[in-house]
Amino acid sequence: MKTQYYSACSLDGFIASKDNSLDWLLQFGEAEGTGYKDFLSEVGAIVMGSTTYQWLLDHHIKAGTTEEKPWLYQQPTWVFSSRKLPTVRDADLRFVSGEVSTVHQQMVDAALGKNIWVAGGGELAGQFFDAGLLDELIIQVASVTLGQGSPLLPRRIAFPPLRLTSAQALGEAFAELHYEVPRQPQASSPA
Ligand SMILES: NC(=O)c1ccc[n+]([C@@H]2O[C@H](COP(=O)([O-])OP(=O)(O)OC[C@H]3O[C@@H](n4cnc5c(N)ncnc54)[C@H](OP(=O)(O)O)[C@@H]3O)[C@@H](O)[C@H]2O)c1
């Protein structure tokens, strides 16, 4: 069971432009050769921040319009927010706030041995990293730069660095990078 941050970003490290647009990403359609379906089949629980959730509501679900679509995932999905957010019909959504470690344990219990997908954004993924709960990053780096926007992972992770476990070109636009998050050195216990 792994906790994985799976996301796409620009070459300069942003997951959304300043106005929360993903047009730069959606222009490519579905990336060639991505392992997304296999990845998702191994996921037992999903977590996201409220901005990512709101983006899905506005751009995918479109509730109350003639284009309304059902929720995207079968897996239980935790949404972090300090606010009351609209829900989606027939979706297993759990609205939470506060410490990610408490919620992570609930997700582990619900995932029944499968992986946990931290869908974003970067600050939320950073909170899982801070709590020592992030195992892997799977990042599709697109061949665009945005200059500014929502950062991929606003943390300093340098000593020890992440460990690159695979790098694969996906068509002409993407490089998919897998990184293992090193275990934090444990404080030695008193003799
Ligand atoms: N490129 C990609 O593959 C990809 C992937 C994911 C997301 N995105 C996009 O990236 C952008 C994400 O933006 P983001 O990183 O700024 O936001 P985000 O993580 O999606 O949402 C941030 C919000 O989550 C809530 N939150 C986070 N931690 C919390 C905690 N511990 N307790 C309570 N609430 C907490 C807060 O919401 P409240 O203000 O409601 O309290 C906070 O303002 C969106 O536009 C999204 O569509 C892109």
Side-chain angles (χ1 to χ4, degrees), residues 41 51 61 80 85 123 148 156 170 174 177:
S41 70
T51 311
I61 308 299
F80 270 91
L85 299 173
E123 170 55 33
Q148 54 185 335
R156 185 172 189 267
L170 304 178
F174 291 95
L177 307 175

Side-chain angles (χ1 to χ4, degrees), residues 7-8 15-16 20 22 24-25 49-52 55 80-83 96-98 119-124 127 150:
S7 181
I15 60 170
N20 278 319
L22 294 182
W24 55 276
L25 179 61
S50 67
T51 311
T52 300
W55 190 92
F80 270 91
S81 179
S82 58
R83 297 172 292 137
V96 288
S97 66
E123 170 55 33
L124 185 64
Q127 292 175 45
S150 308

Side-chain angles (χ1 to χ4, degrees), residues 84-142:
K84 186 162 169 49
L85 299 173
T87 191
V88 178
R89 199 186 319 148
D90 299 328
D92 184 348
L93 294 165
R94 304 166 189 205
F95 298 95
V96 288
S97 66
E99 290 293 321
V100 295
S101 49
T102 313
V103 172
H104 186 263
Q105 190 53 55
Q106 296 166 15
M107 297 180 75
V108 169
D109 294 343
L112 301 175
K114 289 184 141 189
N115 296 325
I116 290 173
W117 176 16
V118 180
E123 170 55 33
L124 185 64
Q127 292 175 45
F128 280 87
F129 171 79
D130 295 341
L133 295 169
L134 198 60
D135 299 308
E136 188 177 25
L137 272 62
I138 303 173
I139 307 298
Q140 288 155 358
V141 183

Side-chain angles (χ1 to χ4, degrees), residues 129-183:
F129 171 79
D130 295 341
L133 295 169
L134 198 60
D135 299 308
E136 188 177 25
L137 272 62
I138 303 173
I139 307 298
Q140 288 155 358
V141 183
S143 57
V144 302
T145 62
L146 299 176
Q148 54 185 335
S150 308
L152 174 68
L153 188 54
R155 291 295 184 279
R156 185 172 189 267
I157 306 176
F159 305 101
L162 301 172
R163 194 171 78 84
L164 182 68
T165 54
S166 89
Q168 186 194 355
L170 304 178
E172 295 182 344
F174 291 95
E176 185 171 287
L177 307 175
H178 293 226
Y179 290 100
E180 188 181 276
V181 178
R183 291 275 145 225

